[in-house]
Amino acid sequence: MREDNHDTTAPRAEEVRVGVYVCHCGGNISDVVDTAAVAEAASRHPQVAVSRDYLFMCSDPGQKLIIDDILANGINRVVVAACSPTLHELTFRKALERAGLNPYLYEHVNIREQCSWVHKADHGAATEKALRLTLAGVEKVTRQDPLEAIQVKAERHVVVIGGGVAGMRAALSLAQRGLAVTLIEKSGSLGGRVAELDTVFPTEESARELLRELSEALLQEERVSVHLHSQVEQVEGYVGNFTVRLRTEAPGAPAPATQEVTAGALVMATGYDHYEPYAGELGYGQVPEVMTLPEFQRLLSDTPESRSTLLFGGREVRSIAFVHCVGSRQVEGVHQPDSDGHINEGCSRVCCTAALHTINRTLDRFPGLNVYDLYRDIRTYGRGHEEYYEAASKKGVLFLRYREDGLPQFQASKGGGPHTLTVTDWLTWGEEVTLPVDLVVLATGMVPRDISGLVGLLKLPTGTDRFLQEVHPKLRPVELANNGILLAGTCQGPMDIGESCAAAQAAASKASILLAKPTIELDPFVARVNEARCDGCGRCLAECSYGGALTMVERAAGSGTRRVAEVNPALCSGCGACVAVCEPRALDVAGWTLDQFDAMVDAITAEPALAGVGG
């Protein structure tokens, strides 16, 4: 018999009555798992008072089933067997709250991703596994005591890191919602990558004029403090009460100045970098006439409007080839990895439109040019973006489609004439085409900016693409797993200006909601200490990755004191690393105690007491 950390034998104030609800997920689950059989078998558990299966538990009628059973049948614990808890755990907790039940007397069991989706070929085994997981959830929730949300003070101040268009938009939106804002920008000016542009699509407005209007509005806002030539040096604290130390190194300043700001939330708006082609990639870095799209855009912008021909290196340009997907949609074994060993597998989304927008601007000014567009796929996904492709076609641009395993080949000129690009064109069923070109423009993708210092400092999650990773792309699209830290713009992934601004405003909205009240409620799933068992060994401190979450304190003991662990619940993430190294079992995670784990494992591994389910 296992020794429990907390006494669960004491009589409860009320009889435990569990409601079990098995979701069909519209067929995602019920096409494989016999949901009716799981619900019927679960009903035989001695502490299950109600057990049902339903088409969509997350729907309003599905939630009403739970609420009605709580009110009419005295249900005081709830288990929902459905999809991933990242999708709808909060949905069902809110339903419990509406019925007047503590929202933490709830357990979410995943039988979609963990059963029906991975065992499609064996319906019987999927059903048996779903039953065992459901019963494990029942055993856990029967041992669950009501928990209360952790209350932390909310400082009505936000630090925005990054002064590009997303950071500026977020800062202005936050200030307009009544919050004080500190905007930190490491360069000497605001605007970020947008400041590199001449015009923006699809409105064709002046990028400089847009930035001027935005920056003027920002600088006139008394709630916003802008710090240029500044970087984040240290961040301590937690949601509602971060302490940010920033260092300012203005040119010519005798010594760096540092200051501290207290903030309730942080907004990451650190932007992106352009992909830098490696030396020799399609001639880049070896031939001056091979350049990236941003470099060509600067060339175009610097060419006087009065000039009738495009010049480069003192010579007239007669033909240009634009090559798509340079630094995007790379394939292992085909493309050369970056210096860090990564390849950029994702699509940068905006490069196609940016290239076509530039092609049209070029031909509007120099209609006599021969322009070739070498692409894998044209992805002009935004509203009005397809018109750039149609316009370029009507202006005589020759489109050639290559495959990932048939990249264009560049050959530098040996006699001062045009360079050549050779490509296998799949629009003409694999014909090899050689193009004489004066300029080659590489439409480079977006890559994540190196913010490894901030990532390590704040323990920020990143995806396989190395951009910052949101909690959920649909349900929590601008939130990080780190409480109180939000995302704005291209630090999260490739976006155009409109999308970046929309994300920035969403982050501002989230921050204003978070800081709307004097205190913030946090989930109570944090470590807790049974001081009677703690021997003060300190192993938990050595294992904890969250600074300040665990400390050792002195407690009165007889005529002296004894050393025990103490948890700061606002800093604890509830990861359980400390629990794993605590030999006297003095540590637990609230809502995930060791005795709950023991009971769940017993339920999963026991011989099926409820036989006949799943065959």
Side-chain angles (χ1 to χ4, degrees):
M1 181 177 180
R2 293 183 176 90
E3 180 185 19
D4 289 342
N5 187 10
H6 299 281
D7 183 11
T8 57
T9 61
R12 297 182 182 273
E14 59 182 352
E15 176 192 2
V16 171
R17 293 175 59 82
V18 181
V20 174
Y21 303 88
V22 185
C23 184
H24 295 200
C25 198
N28 275 298
I29 295 173
S30 58
D31 285 352
V32 177
V33 173
D34 189 339
T35 51
V38 172
E40 193 279 327
S43 71
R44 303 179 213 163
H45 189 285
Q47 289 175 296
V48 171
V50 171
S51 186
R52 308 181 189 278
D53 66 298
Y54 190 72
L55 184 63
F56 286 110
M57 281 307 306
C58 62
S59 66
D60 288 343
Q63 294 177 54
K64 189 174 184 299
L65 276 178
I66 298 173
I67 294 171
D68 288 347
D69 283 340
I70 292 171
L71 298 176
N73 298 317
I75 297 301
N76 53 28
R77 304 287 190 281
V78 172
V79 173
V80 174
C83 56
S84 167
T86 59
L87 290 173
H88 286 300
E89 184 174 32
L90 186 60
T91 300
F92 294 115
R93 281 196 201 157
K94 292 294 185 183
L96 266 64
E97 279 189 311
R98 293 198 298 275
L101 190 63
N102 184 289
Y104 300 107
L105 296 174
Y106 170 76
E107 181 63 18
H108 195 106
V109 177
N110 183 352
I111 62 169
R112 187 180 70 176
E113 285 83 346
Q114 294 185 6
C115 296
S116 64
W117 282 5
V118 293
H119 303 297
K120 288 185 177 180
D122 194 337
H123 293 200
T127 301
E128 174 66 24
K129 183 178 178 181
L131 172 59
R132 288 175 181 251
L133 291 176
T134 303
L135 291 177
V138 171
E139 292 294 339
K140 178 175 182 286
V141 82
T142 60
R143 291 161 172 79
Q144 180 63 54
D145 293 318
L147 300 174
E148 295 299 327
I150 298 165
Q151 303 281 339
V152 297
K153 180 185 175 183
E155 187 73 33
R156 287 183 57 78
H157 193 127
V158 180
V159 167
V160 177
I161 305 174
V165 68
M168 295 167 70
R169 182 68 263 175
L172 189 58
S173 296
L174 286 162
Q176 290 168 344
R177 288 172 167 84
L179 294 169
V181 182
T182 296
L183 177 63
I184 302 172
E185 167 56 40
K186 69 177 182 179
S187 74
S189 61
L190 298 172
R193 293 296 183 190
V194 177
E196 301 173 353
L197 303 177
D198 189 17
T199 62
V200 299
F201 58 79
T203 61
E204 299 301 324
E205 295 175 85
S206 165
R208 293 180 180 87
E209 183 62 21
L210 286 176
L211 286 180
R212 186 190 63 79
E213 293 176 4
L214 184 56
S215 59
E216 284 183 0
L218 186 69
L219 295 172
Q220 290 171 6
E221 176 53 67
E222 61 182 15
R223 296 187 181 92
V224 178
S225 173
V226 177
H227 298 262
L228 302 177
H229 300 291
S230 301
Q231 296 191 59
V232 174
E233 195 171 64
Q234 182 64 45
V235 180
E236 296 177 339
Y238 44 84
V239 58
N241 190 27
F242 292 106
T243 299
V244 180
R245 185 167 73 242
L246 61 108
R247 183 180 75 254
T248 300
E249 297 181 353
T258 62
Q259 68 180 95
E260 289 189 347
V261 177
T262 302
L266 309 178
V267 174
M268 301 296 297
T270 51
Y272 73 97
D273 281 327
H274 297 293
Y275 171 78
E276 181 73 18
Y278 61 83
E281 184 171 9
L282 289 168
Y284 186 80
Q286 297 176 344
V287 177
E289 289 79 16
V290 178
M291 61 188 67
T292 64
L293 183 61
E295 292 168 345
F296 178 77
Q297 289 169 335
R298 285 195 291 274
L299 170 66
L300 197 62
S301 179
D302 292 341
T303 300
E305 291 288 339
S306 59
R307 185 169 292 167
S308 59
T309 58
L310 179 65
L311 301 179
F312 182 79
R315 301 175 60 180
E316 182 180 354
V317 175
R318 294 183 172 85
S319 59
I320 308 175
F322 289 78
V323 183
H324 290 243
C325 294
V326 179
S328 290
R329 303 179 67 198
Q330 294 178 324
V331 179
E332 191 169 353
V334 174
H335 295 89
Q336 180 173 311
D338 291 341
S339 58
D340 58 5
H342 288 91
I343 60 171
N344 302 302
E345 298 176 287
C347 172
S348 284
R349 302 175 73 243
V350 301
C351 321
C352 287
T353 302
L356 292 167
H357 173 250
T358 304
I359 288 171
N360 280 291
R361 288 188 61 234
T362 303
L363 288 174
D364 286 342
R365 292 186 58 185
F366 310 107
L369 284 172
N370 292 318
V371 177
Y372 309 102
D373 187 294
L374 283 59
Y375 72 98
R376 282 176 58 184
D377 299 288
I378 297 292
R379 294 184 171 183
T380 49
Y381 67 94
R383 177 175 292 181
H385 294 191
E386 185 74 8
E387 294 173 9
Y388 289 116
Y389 171 72
E390 295 176 359
S393 299
K394 292 175 181 178
K395 290 172 183 174
V397 174
L398 181 61
F399 289 90
L400 300 100
R401 188 176 191 180
Y402 68 92
R403 289 182 178 175
E404 64 184 33
D405 56 352
L407 303 179
Q409 300 298 308
F410 175 81
Q411 181 64 50
S413 169
K414 296 181 180 179
H419 306 293
T420 58
L421 271 177
T422 302
V423 61
T424 300
D425 176 29
W426 291 99
L427 295 178
T428 53
W429 299 281
E431 181 179 353
E432 186 174 274
V433 180
T434 300
L435 306 172
V437 291
D438 297 313
L439 290 183
V440 177
V441 179
L442 309 180
T444 50
M446 293 183 179
V447 295
R449 177 161 289 165
D450 182 8
I451 55 168
S452 52
L454 284 172
V455 168
L457 185 65
L458 297 170
K459 297 180 173 60
L460 303 177
T462 57
T464 56
D465 59 4
R466 292 164 290 148
F467 285 96
L468 296 180
Q469 180 71 57
E470 72 282 351
V471 174
H472 191 280
K474 293 183 179 179
L475 301 180
R476 298 173 65 185
V478 296
E479 298 175 65
L480 288 171
N482 314 56
N483 279 331
I485 305 182
L486 302 160
L487 297 169
T490 53
C491 64
Q492 184 181 4
M495 299 181 187
D496 65 21
I497 296 170
E499 292 168 328
S500 293
C501 289
Q505 290 176 300
S509 178
K510 281 290 183 182
S512 63
I513 293 170
L514 179 69
L515 305 177
K517 297 179 180 179
T519 59
I520 298 170
E521 289 190 351
L522 305 179
D523 279 341
F525 306 126
V526 298
R528 59 187 183 185
V529 181
N530 183 335
E531 292 188 2
R533 291 175 177 265
C534 181
D535 61 9
C537 68
R539 291 191 188 96
C540 53
L541 269 69
E543 196 67 22
C544 182
S545 300
Y546 300 88
L550 271 172
T551 55
M552 301 304 294
V553 297
E554 297 292 328
R555 292 279 192 258
S559 59
T561 61
R562 58 188 296 263
R563 189 169 178 256
V564 296
E566 183 176 73
V567 177
N568 181 333
L571 292 175
C572 178
S573 72
C575 69
C578 58
V579 179
V581 298
C582 184
E583 291 185 6
R585 292 170 68 108
L587 280 159
D588 256 332
V589 174
W592 288 95
T593 62
L594 291 171
D595 62 294
Q596 287 177 308
F597 276 117
D598 290 343
M600 293 174 74
V601 170
D602 287 343
I604 291 171
T605 59
E607 288 297 322
L610 309 176
V613 177

